């Protein structure tokens, strides 16, 4: 829910394959990993070739104790802005673990340099 215009940093679109909301600049859908075709805006493909940074990556595993009742788990990821307001909250998945089973969870934040388009034209600032 943002008012970011097309071509601006943070502009989004819908993946034609899985319908997830992804960055307009993405060359590969991060959700379904399908390649995306660029039929409009050829310079967007240049942005997708820039090396991605991974400023945050957290990975952890949990293992169910060898005895006891099975677990049910829920994976939720939330994003907060610098004012502490939650801007996104998503249920990633649920599942169950039986005794002695292990699950590994990976959270990664990828970032690319976003090139602002045009010489500061069309200033629609809020
Ligand atoms: Zn997709």
């Amino acid at each position: 829910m943002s008012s970011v215009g097309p071509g601006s940093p943070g502009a989004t679109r819908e993946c034609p394959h899985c319908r997830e909301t992804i960055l307009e600049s993405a060359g590969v859908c991060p959700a379904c990993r399908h390649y995306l075709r660029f039929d409009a805006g050829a310079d967007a493909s240049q942005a997708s070739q820039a090396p991605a940074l991974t400023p945050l990556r957290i990975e952890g595993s949990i293992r169910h104790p060898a005895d006891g009742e099975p677990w049910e788990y829920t994976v939720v990821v939330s994003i907060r802005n610098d004012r502490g307001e939650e801007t996104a909250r998503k249920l990633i998945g649920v599942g169950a673990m039986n005794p002695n089973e292990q699950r590994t969870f990976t959270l990664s934040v990828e970032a690319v340099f976003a090139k602002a388009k045009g010489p500061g034209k069309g200033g629609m600032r809020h």
Side-chain angles (χ1 to χ4, degrees):
M1 269 194 292
S2 62
S3 55
V4 179
S8 302
T12 58
R13 63 171 168 161
E14 189 180 76
C15 174
H17 303 287
C18 68
R19 304 290 172 199
E20 279 287 342
T21 300
I22 60 174
L23 284 174
E24 191 181 61
S25 60
V28 178
C29 174
C32 67
R33 292 174 174 162
H34 277 95
Y35 282 89
L36 303 165
R37 201 177 296 149
F38 294 95
D39 33 9
D43 55 347
S45 61
Q46 290 179 340
S48 69
Q49 288 167 357
L53 311 169
T54 308
L56 176 66
R57 182 183 172 91
I58 299 171
E59 186 168 294
S61 300
I62 55 175
R63 178 175 286 280
H64 192 292
D67 51 5
E69 299 293 314
W71 289 346
E72 289 182 316
Y73 63 82
T74 304
V75 181
V76 176
V77 174
S78 71
I79 304 172
R80 281 183 293 161
N81 63 17
D82 52 10
R83 291 189 298 275
E85 302 159 347
E86 193 171 78
T87 59
R89 181 180 184 84
K90 194 139 193 170
L91 174 63
I92 303 303
V94 297
M97 293 175 64
N98 290 310
N100 222 20
E101 282 186 345
Q102 177 173 311
R103 296 288 185 278
T104 300
F105 304 90
T106 305
L107 168 70
S108 63
V109 179
E110 293 185 356
V112 293
F113 291 104
K115 292 170 199 151
K117 273 189 181 173
K121 199 184 156 190
M124 280 182 54
R125 292 183 186 266
H126 301 281

